[in-house]
Amino acid sequence: MRRMKAEIAAAKLDALVVVGDDQYELFGDQHMPAIAIYYGETIRNAPQKPVAEGDWYRRAQMRRLEEAGEVHYPCHRHLALHLIDALVEREFDLSALAALSAGQHEGHAYSFVHRWYLKDAPLPIVPVFLNTYNPPNPPLPQRCVKLGAALKDAIAAYPEDLRVGVLASGGLSHFALDEAMDRAIIKSLRAKDHEFLAALDPRKLKAGSSEIRNWLVVARAAADLDLSWLSYTPAYRTPALTGTGLCFARWS
C-alpha cells in the first residue's frame, strides 16, 4: 500500500476516477443502479462513532471514517459531467448523483482511497459506482470491459488538458480465496487479454470476489498503457481457504 500511494503521488494527477462498489452504503434494494456516477463538487465522509470495548469488528469498520470530524473531499464535477454525457452517447444507461442525502457518506471503496492513498494530497476524484454485489442487476463481465473502453475514450475526449488516473478499488478473490482464478486474471492483465476477462464466469464473481468487476473496467481503460508493476499476495486466513487475494498494480 505504501508503494501504491507513492505511485499515485508520482503520477502528478489532476483528477482520479475511482471505480468502486457500494455495499448498501448509498444505495438500497429500492434503487440499486448497475452503474452510477457522482458529479457533486465534494463528497462527505462521516466522523467515527464510539465503539464498545472489545468490539473488534466495529472498531475495524470505524477506520474507514474520520477521527476528527466529518470531511468533505473535493470531486471533479466538470469531468464527471463530461463522462456522464459521453457514456450516455455510448448507450450506457447511468444513474447520476448530484449530492448525497442527509446523513449519508461515501462508502468504504472511496473512503479508503481518501484516507490512505490521498491523505496528504487533496486530489479531486470522480466516484464511479458498479453494483458488483447485489442481485438482480450486477453488470456482466463483458459489460464491465465495454465500460472500460468507453471510459478510456471519454477521458481522452475531455476538452481540457488534464492528467487523469483511473483506480480500481477492491480486491481480487475473497472471502473464499481462489488463487487459480486470481493468477489467471493477472496473466490476462499482463497480456492485455480483454477477451478472457470479458468471458469470466459471473457465477464466480460473488461476495467479495465481485469486486473483480472494478478491475475489469480499469484494465480495459488502461489498454494503451503498460502494466509496469504488480504485486499479488494470496492472504489465507483459515484452513477453510477464507482470505483475500491482495493485488496492487500500476499501468503507466
Side-chain angles (χ1 to χ4, degrees):
M1 291 192 298
R2 287 191 294 270
R3 169 74 183 263
M4 194 76 223
K5 183 176 181 178
E7 295 280 358
I8 293 172
K12 299 187 183 302
L13 300 174
D14 298 305
L16 181 64
V17 177
V18 181
V19 182
D21 52 285
D22 186 82
Q23 297 174 27
Y24 292 120
E25 291 153 322
L26 297 183
F27 305 111
D29 288 334
Q30 71 273 22
H31 173 222
M32 183 63 67
I35 307 169
I37 294 180
Y38 181 87
Y39 66 98
E41 295 280 1
T42 63
I43 191 164
R44 173 182 180 266
N45 196 23
Q48 295 180 4
K49 298 178 181 178
V51 177
E53 186 69 27
D55 190 346
W56 63 268
Y57 179 73
R58 289 287 294 166
R59 189 173 301 281
Q61 283 192 318
M62 283 297 117
R63 294 194 192 113
R64 64 188 62 170
L65 303 178
E66 307 293 335
E67 295 97 339
E70 69 179 40
V71 175
H72 294 260
Y73 290 105
C75 296
H76 204 296
R77 174 181 169 85
H78 295 297
L79 178 59
L81 288 170
H82 168 80
L83 295 181
I84 292 169
D85 287 342
L87 292 175
V88 168
E89 288 182 2
R90 295 282 289 268
E91 299 183 351
F92 284 88
D93 298 320
L94 307 173
S95 289
L97 291 80
L100 304 185
S101 300
Q104 285 189 322
H105 58 85
E106 63 178 355
H108 72 291
Y110 310 89
S111 66
F112 182 85
V113 173
H114 277 133
R115 287 179 50 70
W116 179 265
Y117 296 130
L118 304 180
K119 188 170 185 178
D120 304 317
L123 180 65
I125 74 164
V126 176
V128 176
F129 302 90
L130 290 187
N131 175 29
T132 74
Y133 264 79
N134 305 299
N137 66 330
L140 293 172
Q142 57 262 40
R143 188 62 168 165
C144 296
V145 171
K146 289 179 180 178
L147 175 60
L151 196 61
K152 169 184 171 292
D153 292 343
I155 292 171
Y158 188 68
E160 297 179 30
D161 185 16
L162 292 182
R163 289 179 63 84
V164 179
V166 186
L167 184 145
S169 182
L172 293 187
S173 65
H174 63 293
F175 302 102
L177 204 160
D178 187 339
E179 191 173 343
M181 179 175 70
D182 287 350
R183 294 195 182 279
I185 289 171
I186 289 168
K187 181 180 178 181
S188 298
L189 296 179
R190 294 188 187 279
K192 299 185 180 182
D193 187 352
H194 303 121
E195 290 185 4
F196 175 88
L197 298 175
L200 286 171
D201 185 349
R203 292 173 297 181
K204 290 192 172 184
L205 305 185
K206 302 292 186 181
S209 299
S210 70
E211 293 176 347
I212 291 168
R213 288 178 169 88
N214 302 326
W215 282 75
L216 303 185
V217 174
V218 172
R220 182 60 183 86
D224 291 344
L225 304 176
D226 293 324
L227 186 59
S228 57
W229 169 68
L230 186 141
S231 170
Y232 175 70
T233 302
Y236 292 97
R237 292 175 177 159
T238 71
L241 305 184
T242 60
T244 303
L246 300 171
C247 194
F248 304 85
R250 182 188 180 183
W251 287 264
S252 59

